[in-house]
Amino acid sequence: MTQILIIVAAVAVALLLITIALRLSRRRKVNAMSPEQRDLHYAQQAHKKCVSELKSDFKAVEKDTDRAVKDAKSRLDGALAIGSDRLDQVKGPAGTVTLTSLELTTPGGTRAVTPQLSATAEAAGAAPVAEGDDDTRRTTLTIEDGEHRETIDFKPDQESAVRGLAARITSAGEHVDEVTRQRDEATREAEQAVATANEQATVRLNDAQVRYDKGIAESEAKVRDAEARLRDSRVR
């Protein structure tokens, strides 16, 4: 362990000495330059730093605007999803009935929830009394929407679940207008937020591009001026 520490310390010292030596070498090189050469050297260094900072600033604006647009789109997705939450689902011998705030799916197909939609549950039939008698017990879900009527049979032991489903279907019909209003209102606001985020992103990115182009042009001009002064000094 001690040997490892000694090796690590030696490497660290060696790297430090190399760094110091390189700095001294660069300093001697700069000191040996003429004033015009030094001006060009510093102008080139400043230009390199300027380009790096301008690129970093532009990327920061890109990242910020991308996040703002993404957040706005996420808000729109949330608004469009209003009413898609599953309120209930019961699977029976004939198929599955699934209910959301805006949609009802049955073995007969999918329909929109409307204010006219309602459902009832009923237990019918009888258990066999003697050996060989048929078991006619069943739980029936009846769905109506003013135009169509659908009856779906479930197992007798599903009576509680089916009655709960029927109540939720009827409740969904009673509240669908409010859910639709909330969804439409939230969607309009979210769409406006997306449009605003895109507009602001365009403005900010354009401004950032202008700052970038102007900064690069000014920095390059300083380098060219330094190059011109160096050329003039050599002519003289």
Side-chain angles (χ1 to χ4, degrees), residues 5 53 61 81 119 157 186 195 222 225:
L5 292 175
E53 290 177 347
V61 173
D157 60 0
K222 291 178 181 178
D225 289 343

Side-chain angles (χ1 to χ4, degrees), residues 84-122:
S84 64
D85 52 310
R86 192 172 74 185
L87 302 180
D88 203 351
Q89 184 179 74
V90 180
K91 182 178 181 180
T96 302
V97 177
T98 303
L99 174 69
T100 72
S101 295
L102 298 176
E103 200 170 72
L104 175 65
T105 300
T106 70
T110 298
R111 73 187 78 184
V113 174
T114 66
Q116 293 74 37
L117 182 67
S118 65
T120 56
E122 180 181 18

